């Protein structure tokens, strides 16, 4: 994961290479809370792939990069 100041900063860093997925820091926080928010619950159990895919979909993280295998 890399953090950038702007789209221009990303473009300079890529230097012509194709970009992967990019999200805002806000979206990253939303993802972290959705993905890890229940880990300290006493009854926590690992999430299924389907559950995790639904989390991504519900956050609007769609497309090939966000498809869990």
């Amino acid at each position: 994961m890399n953090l950038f100041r702007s789209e221009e900063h990303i473009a300079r860093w890529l230097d012509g290479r194709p970009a992967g997925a990019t999200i805002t820091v806000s979206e990253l926080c939303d993802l972290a809370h959705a993905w890890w928010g229940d880990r300290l619950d006493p009854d926590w159990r690992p999430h299924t792939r389907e559950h995790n895919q639904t989390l991504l979909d519900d956050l609007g993280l769609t497309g090939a990069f966000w498809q869990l295998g």
Side-chain angles (χ1 to χ4, degrees), residues 38-68:
D38 63 347
R39 290 302 199 263
L40 296 179
D41 291 349
D43 296 326
W44 181 82
R45 296 289 179 264
H47 296 156
T48 64
R49 180 182 313 151
E50 292 78 18
H51 174 88
N52 289 336
Q53 187 65 61
T54 299
L55 289 177
L56 295 172
D57 295 343
D58 289 349
L59 291 168
L61 301 174
T62 59
F65 182 87
W66 300 104
Q67 294 303 306
L68 301 177

Side-chain angles (χ1 to χ4, degrees), residues 4-62:
F4 298 97
R5 293 184 302 270
S6 64
E7 294 290 329
E8 294 81 19
H9 188 199
I10 294 169
R12 281 195 316 270
W13 183 81
L14 288 170
D15 192 28
R17 295 182 304 267
T22 59
I23 60 174
T24 66
V25 170
S26 237
E27 291 169 316
L28 177 61
C29 286
D30 292 343
L31 174 57
H33 285 284
W35 198 274
W36 300 105
D38 63 347
R39 290 302 199 263
L40 296 179
D41 291 349
D43 296 326
W44 181 82
R45 296 289 179 264
H47 296 156
T48 64
R49 180 182 313 151
E50 292 78 18
H51 174 88
N52 289 336
Q53 187 65 61
T54 299
L55 289 177
L56 295 172
D57 295 343
D58 289 349
L59 291 168
L61 301 174
T62 59

